[in-house]
Amino acid sequence: MTEFTRLQRDFFSRDTIIVAKDLIGKFLIRAESDYRMIGKITEVEAYLGPNDKASHSYNFHKSKRTKVMYEKPGTLYVYLVYGMYYCLNVITEQEGIPCAVLIRKLYPIDGIEIMKERRKVKIGKNFKNLMDGPGKLCMAMDITKELFNGVDSCSNKAKLFFSIGEKVNKQDIFTGKRIGIEYAEEDREKLLRFWIET
């Protein structure tokens, strides 16, 4: 089995926007004893914590749900939206500064049949509808709050982690507004979504 270079704490402890852009092309790996799933990160959104009205931790808001955002960089933050879909984020910056990057889309690399089985929907050309949304990728890779919220992805024991993936040219990264944050007032206009075409 191929060995992958796990991303370490110093990767995530940097400026959130830099981390978000640098995550494009990296691999998200779910490694279990009897199977493995790998997706290449193709779209992310940056959430700038205390100074970002779109962030769960705006103005240093801290609750039972958001306390994970104050953990070490590299910690996974998984939450439920609409009462049915999970979203995967990774904490950035220094511990205590609650910023994060939302993983919006993955392109499947390995374990594709398992992903398809878990999605239970028709998959289109170029794997359309498999993992091209935050809820879809969590379903495909069986990422739930119970399993992974608060997990330190930098730990060698973590079964869900990020690794070095495919090199991406910075000029190939598109920039736009984040999706589904109409409540965020002027911050909804910030260009904090980054993606590549697949």
Side-chain angles (χ1 to χ4, degrees):
M1 187 176 285
T2 305
E3 290 296 320
F4 292 91
T5 303
R6 186 183 300 256
L7 298 184
Q8 298 299 317
R9 190 96 52 221
D10 56 357
F11 178 90
F12 299 103
S13 64
R14 301 173 297 153
D15 176 84
T16 303
I17 296 174
I18 293 173
V19 174
K21 291 179 179 178
D22 283 354
L23 276 170
I24 299 292
K26 301 296 190 292
F27 289 166
L28 177 68
I29 300 176
R30 174 83 192 269
E32 298 292 343
S33 58
D34 55 343
Y35 69 88
R36 182 179 71 187
M37 291 181 287
I38 302 173
K40 180 176 73 173
I41 299 171
T42 59
E43 185 171 327
V44 298
E45 290 179 350
Y47 287 86
L48 309 183
N51 303 311
D52 182 1
K53 291 180 180 177
S55 176
H56 292 170
S57 58
Y58 172 62
N59 209 18
F60 284 102
H61 173 71
K62 195 172 188 179
S63 65
K64 185 177 180 181
R65 177 173 81 159
T66 64
K67 64 182 182 180
V68 172
M69 296 187 73
Y70 293 81
E71 297 292 330
K72 295 175 287 191
T75 300
L76 302 178
Y77 173 39
V78 183
Y79 60 85
L80 196 64
V81 292
Y82 309 124
M84 58 193 302
Y85 300 115
Y86 289 105
C87 291
L88 172 67
N89 303 256
V90 62
I91 304 307
T92 57
E93 314 247 354
Q94 297 301 312
E95 186 172 356
I97 305 298
C99 299
V101 174
L102 168 69
I103 310 302
R104 277 200 59 85
K105 290 184 183 180
L106 298 175
Y107 185 85
I109 300 295
D110 195 14
I112 297 171
E113 291 308 312
I114 300 172
M115 296 171 185
K116 287 180 176 179
E117 191 176 301
R118 287 196 167 130
R119 287 288 289 121
K120 295 182 172 64
V121 294
K122 185 175 180 179
I123 306 303
K125 185 179 180 182
N126 205 28
F127 302 109
K128 183 171 177 59
N129 206 32
L130 183 59
M131 295 197 291
D132 53 354
K136 294 176 186 180
L137 70 88
C138 283
M139 283 187 275
M141 297 186 79
D142 191 26
I143 297 169
T144 66
K145 183 175 180 178
E146 291 71 26
L147 287 174
F148 293 111
N149 188 48
V151 166
D152 178 8
S153 72
C154 302
S155 166
N156 288 331
K157 295 179 181 178
K159 295 180 179 179
L160 184 66
F161 60 94
F162 301 89
S163 86
I164 291 173
E166 297 177 6
K167 185 172 176 57
V168 173
N169 292 322
K170 296 298 182 187
Q171 59 266 32
D172 293 334
I173 298 176
F174 294 87
T175 302
K177 297 177 185 178
R178 294 171 292 183
I179 295 171
I181 57 162
E182 288 72 21
Y183 58 86
E185 300 177 350
E186 69 275 9
D187 286 347
R188 68 185 180 182
E189 301 298 324
K190 290 180 177 178
L191 303 179
L192 294 174
R193 180 165 63 98
F194 309 103
W195 73 94
I196 52 172
E197 299 294 345
T198 54

